[in-house]
Amino acid sequence: MAKWKEIFGKAIGTTQTEEGNSIAMPFKKLGTVDNLVQKTKGDRVIWAIVILLTLASLLLVYSSTGSLAYRMSKSNESYLFKQFAFIILGLLIIYFAHRINYTLYSRVAKILFLISIPLLLYTLFFGVQLNAGSRWIKLPVINMTFQTSDLAKLALFMYMSRMLSRKQQVIKDFKKGFLPIIIPVALICMLIAPANLSTAILIGGTSLLLMFIGRVSLKHIGLTIAIAAIPVVLLIAVAVSTYDKEAGESKKIPAILSSGRIPTWISRIQTFVYSSKEDDGEKTYQINQAKIAIANGGLLGEGPGNSHARNYLPHSYSDFIYAIIIEEYGLLGGAAILFIYLLFLLRCIRIYRKCPYAFGAFLALALSFMLVIQAIANMGVNVNLFPNTGVTLPLVSMGGSSFLFTCLSIGIILSVARNVEQQEGKLQPETVKEG
């Protein structure tokens, strides 16, 4: 009981007086805005990035939801207020997550990872179906859909950070160091891939990058890449072999490959590889509209709220919001968003280099890689560098469970940053123990 009391005390930031009385520091005088500002610690540049991106999100969501509002018989303002509510909730999540001592996340990492596995299995078989894929479960009472892969990837990177920090002495050993790390990664990716291959690939790539930084043997990483490449190469080979270049259309694929989302994956690869400027069919409609939006934007853009492509571009408020950014704010606006994400990554690398504990360093780096790689993937799809993936732009796309888990990830990064400040003597020191 005393142990859990100590853990909870660290979670809410309690401190012990000389008489042994416990004082809850972050909740004392919490009612005033000034007190909240004083208790907001961590990397101030990351806080500024969060504010900038969420403000941009308000403008862009309001601008890009016109066609959605028309289809749903709602007003643009209803989506604006909904996004504003998500932003407020997200900022609160960041605040309270950053006030928690980050070592607590090491203690709950294994529990969250074990919880995410049955949730992914449930989603795979009983989740909400969309485009032959099951990615969501509907939460009762609040009637909100929840993408379980968001929880799974957060739990995985927390658990990976814990294992990498604990296995450094045997990290080069295949059985003792490599297998305990790669098995959870493979399990999560295999459970996510049937419904969301792009997310599984991004998680796998981020995990390999983290393992490389965590000193995992290059021989073991190379073996993993070779094994993971087999189904990807086979999928590309099937896509190429079943496409008729002369007719400009796909041939009939074997029955064994007609189940689940495999036809969708094959179709997206064919569209990406073989589509040309002259193609204006249904398969190329979305990316063609994104190209039109980018072309309209030019260098300086059409101005806030002046997008024309938003009325024709599907998912202009989520997957293709970056095209709307370039149309309204030009290539300079698009470059500014890219710069902000790269600045976020650089600040997180700074936290990684200064953090005195391995778990905190790996955790900050893993979560920052996850968010920035997702952002780059979204931008790459919008400018037709990658096939359509369906991933959102972190903190900018219209809110949902993904937005809230992004905020939680940033809150955890800021928790590590707050500890780094404490270690540098900028704040009143607290006792920190690795979990």
Side-chain angles (χ1 to χ4, degrees), residues 43 46 102 161 164-165 168 209-216 344-369 412-421 424:
D43 193 297
I46 293 180
Y102 80 88
S161 301
L164 283 170
S165 65
Q168 283 300 301
L209 186 57
L210 185 63
M211 284 190 283
F212 172 75
I213 294 171
R215 298 176 55 249
V216 172
F344 172 77
L345 179 60
L346 288 175
R347 298 302 294 186
C348 291
I349 291 174
R350 177 177 175 271
I351 296 169
Y352 163 79
R353 295 179 64 184
K354 290 192 172 187
C355 185
Y357 299 109
F359 171 71
F362 286 131
L363 185 62
L365 204 60
L367 297 180
S368 63
F369 279 155
I412 294 172
I413 292 170
L414 287 170
S415 173
V416 179
R418 186 172 70 91
N419 176 261
V420 170
E421 286 186 355
E424 292 179 343

Side-chain angles (χ1 to χ4, degrees), residues 104-299:
L104 182 67
Y105 297 116
S106 176
R107 294 182 173 94
V108 302
K110 188 174 182 179
I111 298 172
L112 287 178
F113 174 73
L114 293 175
I115 289 173
S116 67
I117 293 173
L119 277 177
L120 287 174
L121 285 170
Y122 178 85
T123 306
L124 196 58
F125 294 103
F126 307 106
V128 178
Q129 291 281 335
L130 183 64
N131 296 330
S134 182
R135 304 181 185 180
W136 299 268
I137 57 175
K138 182 167 285 189
L139 299 177
V141 182
I142 61 175
N143 197 33
M144 177 181 171
T145 54
F146 160 59
Q147 195 162 344
T148 49
S149 61
D150 291 326
L151 171 63
K153 65 184 179 183
L154 176 60
L156 173 64
F157 290 127
M158 288 169 62
Y159 184 68
M160 276 191 71
S161 301
R162 172 189 170 101
M163 295 302 292
L164 283 170
S165 65
R166 293 189 169 195
K167 298 287 183 180
Q168 283 300 301
Q169 299 299 321
V170 293
I171 198 65
K172 301 295 185 181
D173 187 273
F174 181 79
K175 187 175 180 181
K176 295 180 180 178
F178 179 66
L179 286 182
I181 295 172
I182 196 60
I183 289 174
V185 175
L187 183 60
I188 293 296
C189 289
M190 285 190 295
L191 289 175
I192 292 176
N196 197 344
L197 180 63
S198 55
T199 297
I201 291 174
L202 291 178
I203 291 172
T206 306
S207 300
L208 290 173
L209 186 57
L210 185 63
M211 284 190 283
F212 172 75
I213 294 171
R215 298 176 55 249
V216 172
S217 172
L218 289 178
K219 179 174 63 176
H220 299 155
I221 294 175
L223 177 64
T224 305
I225 294 173
I227 294 173
I230 293 173
V232 176
V233 171
L234 287 175
L235 188 65
I236 295 173
V238 170
V240 172
S241 63
T242 57
Y243 189 82
D244 189 337
K245 293 182 181 179
E246 294 181 0
E249 60 183 20
S250 178
K251 303 175 186 177
K252 186 176 181 180
I253 62 175
I256 194 173
L257 299 176
S258 300
S259 60
R261 285 181 59 80
I262 296 177
T264 303
W265 302 336
I266 292 173
S267 175
R268 286 182 176 178
I269 293 171
Q270 291 172 340
T271 301
F272 178 74
V273 172
Y274 295 110
S275 63
S276 62
K277 296 179 181 179
E278 291 76 23
D279 292 337
D280 58 356
E282 182 180 346
K283 292 181 179 180
T284 59
Y285 177 80
Q286 197 171 27
I287 192 62
N288 284 342
Q289 293 300 321
K291 289 178 180 178
I292 291 171
I294 293 169
N296 289 340
L299 183 64

